[in-house]
Amino acid sequence: MKIYTKGERVLRLEAVVHNTKELRCGRSLEKFPQIVAEAKSILHRFMDALSCIDPCFIADDMLE
């Protein structure tokens, strides 16, 4: 997973697959749509986890 930010803004999130064997869906070109779907699913789960973590942090000026 990669997150590109600038300041407090998220510009882009991306999933990079280095080893398609780990996805257990094949490595042939015919399986490419399935590989993309699996990577997209991983990315969505990652974004869900981040959205749960983000509200836990409160800035110091908000406490005052």
Side-chain angles (χ1 to χ4, degrees):
M1 310 314 303
K2 289 185 179 182
I3 301 176
Y4 297 92
T5 60
K6 185 172 185 176
E8 296 178 356
R9 298 182 187 266
V10 174
L11 301 175
R12 181 174 77 226
L13 286 101
E14 61 184 42
V16 178
V17 179
H18 292 288
N19 186 0
T20 56
K21 283 185 180 182
E22 294 290 323
L23 296 178
R24 295 184 183 91
C25 56
R27 296 181 59 187
S28 65
L29 190 56
E30 294 84 24
K31 300 288 183 171
F32 185 72
Q34 190 175 0
I35 292 169
V36 171
E38 186 64 29
K40 185 177 179 182
S41 172
I42 293 168
L43 182 61
H44 279 267
R45 289 194 308 268
F46 180 67
M47 290 183 343
D48 287 342
L50 284 179
S51 69
C52 293
I53 293 170
D54 186 45
C56 297
F57 296 98
I58 300 173
D60 291 337
D61 60 341
M62 287 183 71
L63 290 175
E64 296 174 3

